[in-house]
């Protein structure tokens, strides 16, 4: 029973971290899309917090500006998708190891 709690806790932590990453990147995507003012403290905080998450994905796709105001940051959208996939595979991997370990007992 202790092992099950450990696996659930690990999955909870993975989901929590990935959920926070998704929240921060999602906010960035929406704020950029609608041209939020960089001088607003919340917008500045969101951009500064999401910057390290985007670093590995910078320059992969161009950023498009529509109508002079709306910014579509494809690198942020791609990062959002990749982090989501990583979270899915990590939880699947852990659950797979747990099933294999429990079937051998």
């Amino acid at each position: 029973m202790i092992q099950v709690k450990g696996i659930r806790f690990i999955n909870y932590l993975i989901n929590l971290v990935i959920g926070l990453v998704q929240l921060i990147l999602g906010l960035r995507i929406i704020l950029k899309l609608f041209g939020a003012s960089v001088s607003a403290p919340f917008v500045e905080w969101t951009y500064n917090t999401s910057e390290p998450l985007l670093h590995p994905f910078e320059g992969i796709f161009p950023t498009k500006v529509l109508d002079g105001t709306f910014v579509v940051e494809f690198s942020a959208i791609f990062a959002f998708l990749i982090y989501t996939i990583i979270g899915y595979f990590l939880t699947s991997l852990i659950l797979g190891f747990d099933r294999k370990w429990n079937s051998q007992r």
Side-chain angles (χ1 to χ4, degrees), residues 2 7 17 25 33 43 59 67 75 82 91 99:
I2 294 172
I7 293 298
V17 169
L25 287 176
L33 180 65
V43 175
D67 244 4
S75 294
I82 294 300
T91 55
R99 279 189 223 111

Side-chain angles (χ1 to χ4, degrees), residues 32-104:
K32 284 270 187 177
L33 180 65
F34 293 114
S37 172
V38 183
S39 63
F42 178 73
V43 175
E44 182 182 0
W45 175 84
T46 303
Y47 290 169
N48 289 337
T49 305
S50 61
E51 195 64 39
L53 299 170
L54 286 178
H55 184 69
F57 306 99
E58 287 176 347
I60 293 177
F61 300 107
T63 298
K64 297 289 182 185
V65 179
L66 310 171
D67 244 4
T69 306
F70 304 103
V71 178
V72 181
E73 197 173 29
F74 289 108
S75 294
I77 296 169
F78 184 70
F80 184 94
L81 293 173
I82 294 300
Y83 285 120
T84 301
I85 291 169
I86 288 170
Y88 172 78
F89 281 119
L90 284 175
T91 55
S92 296
L93 183 69
I94 289 171
L95 291 175
F97 281 136
D98 184 50
R99 279 189 223 111
K100 186 175 181 178
W101 188 79
N102 284 331
S103 68
Q104 291 177 353

